[in-house]
Amino acid sequence: MNNSVLRFYDEIADDYHLIFHDWNGAIARQGEILDRLIQSKLTRTSNTTLLDCSCGIGTQAIGLAQLGYNVSATDISPASVRRAEEEAIARGVKINFGVADFRTLDQDVQGSYDVVLSADNAIPHLLADEDLRTAFANFHTKLNQNGLLAITIRDYDELSIEKLPSTQPRLFDGGKRIVFQVWDWAQDGKTYTVNQFILQENNEEWSTKHYRTEYRALLREEVNEVLSGAGFTDIEWHLPEQSGYYQPIVTARKP
């Protein structure tokens, strides 16, 4: 993980909701889908504990807290964590927030949890194999026995073949907000740089915001190998057509 990741999320924190058609709707919808998936794997109680370790501005953490989970939420970006905390307070939900890195969760976060979650394609920011192994070992440490790990990432099994140069522009607010990404692939096809653009029209004048970061095109087989190496079992992939979530989700158990 390089400095572009921290800079990207710190810079985009105030605008991150703009990449959604309806961020409040996404909070509720994603929370419900993740809740159904978790409940298919765990017996949920009134005090099921969950650590969202890439919480961003709170999309999944808030939605799950609203459904009754005892949520702690961390992120590498202090600006994102501040925004998430403000959004949680505004919605009247209690979440324990903190700043933490995937690779040092055992030092940065106290206690252990029934569920550890990382959503929104955060894991592929870890470009090096060593960083992946360290992060997954930390996920394992932070889980209770029989706890559940849930990770959502882009479908790189497809994208690494297609190597699309960009996403399709999405028009919101009657065409007054346009959101899209341009992807610059490395020559070996294993990593790529995302250029996130948000264009907005206000009083007949357009503004353009540009944010930039790097990802690894992490294949499912690679994820499975790291999960197994970290001691996880019952590894299962849930594709969007099955789960209803917008990205593939991998779940695994700490035995």
Side-chain angles (χ1 to χ4, degrees), residues 27-116:
I27 289 173
R29 182 172 59 256
Q30 292 189 28
E32 290 168 359
I33 293 172
L34 291 169
D35 176 45
R36 284 199 302 271
L37 181 62
I38 291 167
Q39 290 203 62
S40 74
K41 299 293 181 181
L42 289 179
T43 301
R44 181 181 156 193
T45 70
S46 59
N47 196 39
T48 297
T49 55
L50 182 145
L51 173 64
D52 181 349
C53 60
S54 56
C55 69
I57 65 170
T59 308
Q60 295 81 26
I62 292 171
L64 290 166
Q66 288 174 330
L67 293 173
Y69 287 84
N70 182 351
V71 177
S72 295
T74 61
D75 197 276
I76 196 173
S77 162
S80 294
V81 171
R82 285 194 297 271
R83 170 86 190 273
E85 189 166 18
E86 292 169 0
E87 298 290 351
I89 291 171
R91 290 163 176 77
V93 293
K94 183 177 177 4
I95 298 174
N96 300 311
F97 285 101
V99 176
D101 189 308
F102 290 143
R103 298 162 295 184
T104 54
L105 287 176
D106 59 338
Q107 303 170 35
D108 298 340
V109 178
Q110 294 183 346
S112 57
Y113 299 83
D114 300 315
V115 182
V116 171

Side-chain angles (χ1 to χ4, degrees), residues 18 176-178 197-202 204-210:
L18 296 174
K176 293 188 176 184
R177 174 163 48 105
I178 305 172
F197 291 93
I198 302 173
L199 285 66
Q200 285 185 290
E201 188 269 333
N202 185 29
E204 299 183 353
E205 291 188 4
W206 284 88
S207 64
T208 301
K209 295 182 178 179
H210 170 222

Side-chain angles (χ1 to χ4, degrees), residues 117-132:
L117 169 70
S118 175
D120 287 341
N121 199 51
I123 295 300
H125 283 303
L126 300 170
L127 306 182
D129 289 346
E130 181 180 354
D131 284 343
L132 277 171

Side-chain angles (χ1 to χ4, degrees), residues 238-254:
H238 313 265
L239 299 182
E241 53 268 28
Q242 302 164 323
S243 69
Y245 200 77
Y246 78 104
Q247 288 179 341
I249 305 171
V250 60
T251 57
R253 181 88 60 181
K254 176 179 178 177

